[in-house]
Amino acid sequence: MKVEEEEKQYFVIDFDSTFTQVEALDILGEISLSNHPERNARLQKIKDITDLGMAGEMSLRESLIARIQLLNGNKAHLPELISRLSKLVSKSIERNSVFFNEHPENTFIISNGFKEFIVPVVTKFGIKADHVFANDMVFDEDGNIIDLNRNNVLSINGGKVKQIEALKLKGQINMIGDGYTDYEVRKAGMANNFYAYTENVEREPVKKHADHIAPSFDEILYHKKMSGALSYPKNRIKMLLLESVHPNALAKLKEEGFSVESYPAGLDEDELCEKIKGIHVLGLRSKTQVTAKVIREADKLMAMGAFCIGTNQIDTGTALEAGIPVFNAPFSNTRSVVELAIAEMISLMRGISDKNRDMHQGIWSKTAKNSFEIRGKKLGIIGYGSIGAQLSVLAENLGMDVYYYDLVEKLALGNATKCDTIEELLSIADVVSLHIDGRPENGNFFLREHFQMMKDGVIFLNLARGPVVDILALKEAILSGKVIGAGVDVFPEEPKSNNDPFTSELMGLPNTILTPHIGGSTLEAQENIADFVPRKIMDYINTGNTENSVNFPNITLPPLKDAHRLIHIHKNRPGVLAKINNTLAEFEANIVGQHLKTNETIGYVITDINKQYGKELSKAMKKIEHTIKFRMLY
């Protein structure tokens, strides 16, 4: 059917800070002024002038001429400029390159920049050269850029309005840009919509005049109900980060285009039940408890990220049943926890905490009583996972004899000795260090009888999980002298934030180091976590990869290329895969790749097809019996 003229959608796109991530004249300045004695001052002046012009506080021609005079540019600089700009195309523009190739007649570039560098960049995306309208540079005989073509309508204020008027486009005109001159087109009635483009820069004076805010080109296509590279714009995916997750994670997720809210403290169950509504991704550390009740209230939740090692604070089973993968950082803070354990062993062996307290009270208590080297002592590690194993290696290098116990068969590192029972380990060890996880069955793992099995005068560390140790039993062991030093970093009940009070039965006990759950709280560990967890979340959202998920079937997928990816999560019941493929056959979908993995609860099917299908296919896939979640990636 022929599309009527009034129904046509035209996309008129600005170049600087819209089609590209940068202002082209700023980049030209970096090139042309590379050896200039006033380089830094001129570059800053160019940026200031650009901002004044974009905000409408300086006339366009005045802004362009002022920048040309500062640039010291030459025609010889243009090839490098074009090369750089080609690498700095806005991410979502680049992601949607197919759209531009499919709609060359409907796409225009109208810019106050210069054709000399704009045309070579945009034509690589299928945009027609005669659909590019921009200023012209004027060169002298040596190729120096000395002026602009002052007869070009785009060199004056209101030039974009006049240019679009001259095109006489019939249909819906969508003006897309980051500057005041782009808004002027809408103001003059020459565009039906003005999208303030904020992927690269946000200008408040421009945003307040916009019909729509567009954090990406995906958002524009989604708003216009047109197919794009993403089936769902990332800015519409809302993320909630709790407990002061490292700012690097926040920046990384925002850079990817997601809408992120960061909250400094933990939330209790009722607070989280209210806050979780409408949230697609939840990130937290160890304090916030994500219960079955919270998950039932999560009407949009797609994934969760634990910015720590443990995930016992999350009901991963209920999350699995709801089709929500959970990711954590199993190795990112291992070194930090191990170093704290080593530091506390040495400190407790020397009684440093009590001696430090005495000194601050004016008491000089120089004595070798109950003060020992760790060299030659026997370290008993309960839980030989990534932390326990690394502690084993470092402790052995310090001259300790290492023994370990784990329910799972683990290969000994170095000269460590495996103990067959926990009783065997406790009867040997001079230092006992717990490194087990916080699964429910590990609650009250270490009880009074275990302390009684120990040698007299032992050092005890719990840097694992608060509920795994009977605190009153530990207190009794310290007061009786069975334990002559204890280091505890985790507690059965912990404050939700630094503003809440802390209490414990262990407060005030001799040679007892209490720390506020800081085992993984080093800058290095938090930076590692802030890199690892967002990458896993983004990978799942963007591609469907579930590698390293703690509760989901783990699938590592090939890159999505020239296909559409269908992600289907269902209850693990016989015959579901057949129903999926029968549905695809009904729509004549050609499958180019398919992956299935199951566990005892769910099945996870990823199907790549080579043709785009509409909402009817999605509806049909969602109606398949036992479906939990379905989504499509373009």
Side-chain angles (χ1 to χ4, degrees):
M1 187 181 96
K2 185 178 178 181
V3 179
E4 296 297 330
E5 285 188 336
E6 62 267 24
E7 294 177 328
K8 285 183 180 179
Q9 296 287 339
Y10 291 99
F11 295 86
V12 180
I13 307 171
D14 184 32
F15 184 77
D16 293 292
S17 295
T18 299
F19 197 92
T20 60
Q21 302 172 35
V22 293
E23 293 290 321
L25 293 186
D26 291 350
I27 303 301
L28 178 56
E30 292 178 6
I31 298 168
S32 63
L33 298 170
S34 59
N35 297 315
H36 197 283
E38 299 176 0
R39 178 183 183 276
N40 293 337
R42 287 201 179 198
L43 288 176
Q44 185 58 54
K45 185 67 173 174
I46 290 168
K47 287 176 179 170
D48 292 342
I49 293 171
T50 299
D51 290 338
L52 289 172
M54 290 298 100
E57 298 175 20
M58 186 177 190
S59 76
L60 176 63
R61 178 170 287 181
E62 183 184 1
S63 167
L64 288 170
I65 293 172
R67 281 181 283 172
I68 286 173
Q69 290 173 348
L70 289 165
L71 277 169
N72 198 38
N74 187 279
K75 188 179 290 187
H77 297 134
L78 294 180
E80 183 178 349
L81 173 62
I82 293 164
S83 175
R84 289 202 198 181
L85 292 176
S86 297
K87 296 173 184 176
L88 291 169
V89 171
S90 295
K91 290 182 179 179
S92 69
I93 295 285
E94 193 163 35
R95 186 162 58 235
N96 286 283
S97 58
V98 171
F99 172 84
F100 299 108
N101 279 286
E102 291 179 348
H103 299 87
E105 297 299 330
N106 301 67
T107 307
F108 295 81
I109 301 293
I110 297 185
S111 170
N112 299 119
F114 293 87
K115 286 181 183 177
E116 283 79 3
F117 53 75
I118 295 176
V119 170
V121 173
V122 303
T123 50
K124 294 176 183 176
F125 288 78
I127 295 172
K128 300 170 70 175
D130 60 1
H131 279 209
V132 177
F133 298 90
N135 279 298
D136 313 280
M137 290 178 173
V138 175
F139 304 93
D140 67 12
E141 59 185 14
D142 296 319
N144 295 311
I145 305 168
I146 57 172
D147 203 351
L148 51 80
N149 176 7
R150 303 195 183 201
N151 294 321
N152 190 319
V153 70
L154 288 165
S155 71
I156 60 173
N157 278 16
K160 288 188 179 182
V161 175
K162 291 181 172 61
Q163 183 64 70
I164 292 179
E165 187 177 18
L167 290 173
K168 299 185 180 340
L169 301 176
K170 301 295 184 182
Q172 292 281 319
I173 298 175
N174 302 288
M175 187 69 211
I176 303 162
D178 65 289
Y180 191 82
T181 58
D182 305 305
Y183 160 65
E184 286 179 332
V185 175
R186 176 75 168 98
K187 183 180 179 182
M190 297 307 301
N192 301 91
N193 294 292
F194 169 51
Y195 291 92
Y197 199 79
T198 61
E199 181 173 349
N200 306 304
V201 63
E202 295 191 30
R203 306 185 198 277
E204 292 302 326
V206 177
K207 285 171 60 178
K208 70 180 182 181
H209 293 300
D211 295 297
H212 307 281
I213 306 298
S216 67
F217 198 71
D218 306 286
E219 172 65 23
I220 296 168
L221 296 180
Y222 184 83
H223 184 257
K224 301 302 294 185
K225 296 181 171 58
M226 301 182 75
S227 296
L230 300 177
S231 51
Y232 199 67
K234 294 180 184 179
N235 60 281
R236 289 178 178 258
I237 295 177
K238 296 181 179 179
M239 297 190 170
L240 175 63
L241 302 182
L242 303 177
E243 304 177 53
S244 296
V245 166
H246 196 281
N248 283 7
L250 183 68
K252 188 177 291 289
L253 292 166
K254 282 188 173 181
E255 182 182 351
E256 185 69 13
F258 299 117
S259 176
V260 188
E261 178 185 358
S262 182
Y263 194 76
L267 298 175
D268 62 29
E269 186 178 60
D270 289 339
E271 290 171 329
L272 189 53
C273 282
E274 185 61 32
K275 197 79 173 173
I276 200 73
K277 293 171 184 174
I279 296 298
H280 298 93
V281 178
L282 176 65
L284 65 153
R285 295 175 74 182
S286 57
K287 293 185 179 70
T288 302
Q289 301 297 306
V290 184
T291 63
K293 179 181 177 182
V294 170
I295 293 170
R296 285 193 293 269
E297 292 294 325
D299 55 343
K300 301 284 187 182
L301 199 60
M302 298 169 65
M304 281 188 273
F307 286 74
C308 53
I309 294 177
T311 56
N312 58 294
Q313 71 277 35
I314 300 172
D315 187 335
T316 54
T318 300
L320 177 66
E321 292 171 359
I324 302 167
V326 177
F327 300 92
N328 67 335
F331 313 112
S332 298
N333 63 2
T334 299
R335 177 71 182 203
S336 297
V337 177
V338 168
E339 287 190 6
L340 181 62
I342 294 288
E344 292 198 353
M345 278 184 219
I346 295 172
S347 181
L348 292 167
M349 279 285 192
R350 300 293 296 271
I352 289 174
S353 61
D354 285 357
K355 290 179 173 65
N356 176 64
R357 181 200 61 218
D358 289 346
M359 291 293 285
H360 281 283
Q361 295 175 356
I363 301 171
W364 185 271
S365 53
K366 181 178 180 179
T367 176
K369 183 180 180 181
N370 286 333
S371 186
F372 309 96
E373 294 181 354
I374 64 169
R375 181 178 55 175
K377 302 299 184 294
K378 295 178 175 62
L379 169 63
I381 300 173
I382 300 174
Y384 206 63
S386 57
I387 292 176
Q390 190 170 146
L391 175 60
S392 169
V393 172
L394 292 186
E396 187 176 326
N397 285 334
L398 290 170
M400 300 187 81
D401 298 323
V402 179
Y403 299 80
Y404 71 93
Y405 170 76
D406 200 297
L407 290 173
V408 180
E409 188 68 30
K410 296 289 181 69
L411 179 67
L413 298 180
N415 295 313
T417 302
K418 179 180 179 297
C419 293
D420 294 325
T421 65
I422 193 171
E423 292 82 3
E424 179 188 355
L425 180 142
L426 294 176
S427 68
I428 295 170
D430 301 305
V431 179
V432 175
S433 191
L434 286 186
H435 298 286
I436 63 176
D437 62 39
R439 69 188 73 178
E441 53 267 38
N442 281 342
N444 279 330
F445 172 89
F446 210 87
L447 303 170
R448 181 173 285 103
E449 54 263 35
H450 293 106
F451 288 107
Q452 291 170 351
M453 295 175 194
M454 291 177 171
K455 295 163 61 175
D456 291 337
V458 73
I459 299 293
F460 178 79
L461 299 179
N462 180 19
L463 279 66
R465 292 289 181 269
V468 303
V469 175
D470 182 337
I471 291 294
L472 289 176
L474 173 57
K475 179 179 180 179
E476 291 174 10
I478 294 171
L479 292 175
S480 70
K482 169 68 76 170
V483 172
I484 63 166
V488 181
D489 186 51
V490 288
F491 303 87
E493 294 183 4
E494 297 180 357
K496 288 192 297 182
S497 75
N498 290 345
N499 296 323
D500 297 317
F502 166 75
T503 60
S504 172
E505 292 286 341
L506 303 178
M507 295 168 66
L509 296 180
N511 202 27
T512 299
I513 299 174
L514 305 182
T515 48
H517 206 145
I518 59 168
S521 296
T522 61
L523 289 178
E524 293 88 349
Q526 293 307 306
E527 286 173 359
N528 290 338
I529 292 170
D531 176 65
F532 186 85
V533 177
R535 276 195 290 112
K536 293 300 173 185
I537 292 172
M538 290 186 295
D539 211 18
Y540 174 68
I541 298 295
N542 294 339
T543 71
N545 274 353
T546 55
E547 183 186 14
N548 294 123
S549 171
V550 299
N551 66 332
F552 237 63
N554 275 209
I555 295 182
T556 303
L557 297 165
L560 182 61
K561 186 177 182 181
D562 299 328
H564 303 276
R565 180 161 289 171
L566 313 181
I567 296 176
H568 192 278
I569 305 167
H570 58 269
K571 294 178 183 178
N572 188 2
R573 300 288 190 273
V576 177
L577 181 61
K579 292 176 182 177
I580 290 172
N581 288 336
N582 287 339
T583 300
L584 293 173
E586 289 174 13
F587 283 84
E588 299 181 348
N590 183 34
I591 298 174
V592 297
Q594 192 169 58
H595 308 265
L596 165 68
K597 201 163 187 181
T598 64
N599 60 22
E600 66 281 359
T601 304
I602 69 162
Y604 187 46
V605 179
I606 296 92
T607 307
D608 292 347
I609 59 177
N610 68 349
K611 182 180 176 183
Q612 179 184 329
Y613 291 86
K615 293 181 179 179
E616 294 306 314
L617 174 60
S618 293
K619 289 178 181 177
M621 295 292 281
K622 290 174 182 177
K623 287 181 180 178
I624 294 172
E625 188 179 10
H626 305 306
T627 296
I628 299 172
K629 289 183 186 292
F630 171 80
R631 64 188 175 109
M632 182 182 292
L633 298 178
Y634 292 115

